[in-house]
């Protein structure tokens, strides 16, 4: 089966009280895992439902492999859809095995002799092998969610829409399922369009990452390009951790005045005089050689946490409202409470206050709230 491409053009959706999507343009490449990430309520589910035909767009069009399907009935779109409201989609009068079997039997391409093996494989994949004869009402929310995932993936559709399918699982199971999803995807080469509000999961799963905010797309790119080169402060703050420092361009190329001191940026950005500086925690050094870094500030260590193979320090710096997060590889200790932190000009991301986000109503207060 060939993977399918999806093109969304100028798609808008207004409900009575509000506009959920503002002119979305998006190309989903065949065979990719495209992950749409954004805060709760930014329009991710509405976008998927428009693609599935379950919500009628107010404006715009949707194409599959170059064919316009905007007015096609949902049943004729031939796709797999793992809903967020999975409780409503499992058949209550059928066991877990029967639920998965129904999906498989609908596929003309599946050989009847293979069906039981395929059910075994997919139940194992989602770690519910021992629940095959149980009914949905006897399963936990997380188990039901995995059965729904199994049901949709077993059908092997060339386009699968997944709406936060791992949201109800604990951390370990989420990690295992991410791995299994990757394996399944690599084996099938189908197109997955995956929605989540979990930015770590988005970075781990995506071939292509789409960051949404308030019904608009802020940035599209590989996870690495979005992480290292966020086009807006919203993206920098939402995808991965970042430290935020407010300042003013001081007229000299690349120089930023802040209450904590002068900073140097390789690219001082554009927009208004008032700026927000973002610095990734892993770009900051503790007690650096002052001649080896472009920016140094004095601060006080407020906390230290060893997490697996990294150490995080929380440092308060006079003149910076939030504490500064510093992330170093390995297990690191410092002797002193008073420390110098430092980082380079090219790790200093600068945004004018008028270009924090593509959402015109997005404000500095919103940026501060994100993952604060
Ligand atoms: P979450 O991550 O919480 O699921 P989301 O990004 O998927 O959020 P949507 O569910 O698409 O967001 O909702 C986008 C906006 O549209 C929200 O403000 C929501 O209240 C509104 N909305 C969605 N569906 C409807 C509906 N059927 N009627 C009215 N408003 C709706």
């Amino acid at each position: 089966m060939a993977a399918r491409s999806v093109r969304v053009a100028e798609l808008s959706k207004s409900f009575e009280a509000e506009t959920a999507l503002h002119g979305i343009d998006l190309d989903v490449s065949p065979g990719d895992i495209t992950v749409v990430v954004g805060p709760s309520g930014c329009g991710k589910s509405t976008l998927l439902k428009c693609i599935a035909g379950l919500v009628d767009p107010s404006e715009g069009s949707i194409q599959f492999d170059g064919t316009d399907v905007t007015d096609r009935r949902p049943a004729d779109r031939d796709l797999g859809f793992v809903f967020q409201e999975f409780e409503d989609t499992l058949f209550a009068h059928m066991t877990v095995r029967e639920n998965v079997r129904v999906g498989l039997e609908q596929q003309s391409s599946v050989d009847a002799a293979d069906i039981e093996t395929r059910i075994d494989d997919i139940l194992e994949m989602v770690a519910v092998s021992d629940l095959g004869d149980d009914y949905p009402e006897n399963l936990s929310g997380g188990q039901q969610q995995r059965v729904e995932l199994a049901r949709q993936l077993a059908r092997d559709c060339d386009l699968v829409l997944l709406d936060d399918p791992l949201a109800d699982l604990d951390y370990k199971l989420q990690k295992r399922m991410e791995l299994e999803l990757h394996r399944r995807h690599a084996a099938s080469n189908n197109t997955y369009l995956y929605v989540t509000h979990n930015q770590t999961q988005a970075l781990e799963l995506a071939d292509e990452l789409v960051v949404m905010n308030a019904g608009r797309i802020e940035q599209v790119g590989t996870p690495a390009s979005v992480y290292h080169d966020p086009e807006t402060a919203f993206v920098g703050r939402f995808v991965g951790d970042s430290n935020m420092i407010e300042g003013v361009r001081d007229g000299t190329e690349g120089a930023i005045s802040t209450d904590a001191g002068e900073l140097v940026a390789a690219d001082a950005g554009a927009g208004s005089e008032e700026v927000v500086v973002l610095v990734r925690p892993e770009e900051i050094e503790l007690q650096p050689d002052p001649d080896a870094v472009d920016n140094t500030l004095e601060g006080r260590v407020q906390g230290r946490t060893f997490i697996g193979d990294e150490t995080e320090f929380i440092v308060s710096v006079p003149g910076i409202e939030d504490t500064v997060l510093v992330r170093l590889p390995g297990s690191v200790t410092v002797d002193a409470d008073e420390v110098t932190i430092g980082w380079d000009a090219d790790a200093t991301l600068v945004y004018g206050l008028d270009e924090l986000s593509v959402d015109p109503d997005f404000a500095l207060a919103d940026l501060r709230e994100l993952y604060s």
Side-chain angles (χ1 to χ4, degrees):
M1 210 179 288
R4 201 182 303 175
S5 69
V6 179
R7 166 162 288 181
V8 172
E10 295 176 23
L11 195 77
S12 294
K13 176 64 190 176
S14 297
F15 295 105
E16 267 173 28
E18 64 183 302
T19 303
L21 300 174
H22 297 264
I24 298 283
D25 290 309
L26 177 66
D27 276 311
V28 177
S29 300
D32 268 5
I33 303 184
T34 297
V35 179
V36 181
V37 68
S40 186
C42 73
K44 306 179 297 290
S45 298
T46 304
L47 175 62
L48 279 200
K49 286 177 181 168
C50 287
I51 293 171
L54 300 170
V55 165
D56 287 331
S58 309
E59 280 174 51
S61 65
I62 296 158
Q63 293 180 0
F64 291 166
D65 288 337
T67 302
D68 194 307
V69 297
T70 317
D71 298 323
R72 199 182 275 181
R73 292 186 315 145
D76 297 333
R77 296 196 186 201
D78 188 25
L79 46 80
F81 193 165
V82 182
F83 284 92
Q84 232 175 19
E85 304 87 2
F86 51 88
E87 301 90 343
D88 304 334
T89 54
L90 290 173
F91 296 111
H93 62 288
M94 290 184 185
T95 65
V96 165
R97 281 193 84 81
E98 287 164 353
N99 263 286
V100 177
R101 191 179 293 118
V102 168
L104 279 171
E105 285 170 349
Q106 285 167 357
Q107 293 289 99
S108 54
S109 58
V110 179
D111 193 335
D114 291 342
I115 284 186
E116 295 310 314
T117 319
R118 286 183 58 167
I119 297 174
D120 288 338
D121 288 349
I122 198 82
L123 292 186
E124 194 181 333
M125 177 200 147
V126 299
V128 294
S129 293
D130 51 340
L131 302 176
D133 297 326
D134 287 7
Y135 287 88
E137 64 176 1
N138 298 325
L139 306 181
S140 70
Q143 289 166 338
Q144 289 183 21
Q145 194 173 29
R146 277 176 285 153
V147 173
E148 178 56 11
L149 182 61
R151 216 161 68 93
Q152 296 300 328
L153 293 180
R155 293 174 54 211
D156 206 22
C157 296
D158 54 7
L159 173 63
V160 189
L161 310 179
L162 303 115
D163 195 350
D164 233 343
L166 310 181
D168 281 12
L169 308 185
D170 65 45
Y171 179 77
K172 251 171 107 173
L173 208 47
Q174 265 191 26
K175 292 283 152 200
R176 176 172 167 190
M177 289 300 115
E178 281 174 24
L179 211 69
E180 294 290 356
L181 269 174
H182 258 305
R183 277 207 196 113
R184 181 98 192 164
H185 175 260
S188 71
N189 198 37
N190 294 330
T191 307
Y192 286 7
L193 183 56
Y194 189 106
V195 154
T196 180
H197 63 278
N198 179 333
Q199 40 107 4
T200 312
Q201 200 173 86
L203 285 169
E204 283 167 2
L205 273 177
D207 295 313
E208 186 94 324
L209 191 61
V210 179
V211 187
M212 275 185 76
N213 180 30
R216 294 179 165 85
I217 291 181
E218 295 259 343
Q219 191 168 353
V220 180
T222 61
S225 70
V226 170
Y227 184 83
H228 292 296
D229 196 9
E231 283 169 11
T232 62
F234 170 85
V235 173
R237 193 98 166 127
F238 187 75
V239 178
D241 294 317
S242 60
N243 295 295
M244 180 172 143
I245 309 165
E246 287 158 49
V248 179
R249 283 194 190 85
D250 79 355
T252 319
E253 183 67 17
I256 310 291
S257 300
T258 78
D259 287 348
E262 288 287 305
L263 298 177
V264 193
D267 176 2
S272 64
E273 281 302 293
E274 286 179 283
V275 296
V276 169
V277 174
L278 296 187
V279 189
R280 296 291 190 194
E282 63 278 9
E283 299 287 351
I284 304 179
E285 292 177 54
L286 265 191
Q287 314 289 46
D289 171 356
D291 297 329
V293 288
D294 300 310
N295 294 305
T296 54
L297 296 174
E298 306 302 318
R300 186 178 179 81
V301 174
Q302 302 290 351
R304 171 192 179 273
T305 321
F306 178 59
I307 40 163
D309 51 2
E310 295 173 328
T311 311
E312 285 186 347
F313 288 88
I314 304 287
V315 179
S316 59
V317 175
I320 299 182
E321 197 170 326
D322 306 322
T323 50
V324 175
L325 179 66
V326 180
R327 188 175 293 142
L328 302 169
S331 177
V332 181
T333 50
V334 283
D335 300 334
D337 286 342
E338 306 295 331
V339 291
T340 304
I341 58 173
W343 67 91
D344 281 329
D346 57 10
T348 311
L349 308 172
V350 183
Y351 303 89
L353 282 197
D354 50 0
E355 45 148 35
L356 297 176
S357 159
V358 297
D359 171 14
D361 296 327
F362 191 83
L364 186 61
D366 301 316
L367 194 62
R368 187 171 292 292
E369 235 174 59
L370 275 175
Y371 284 75
S372 61

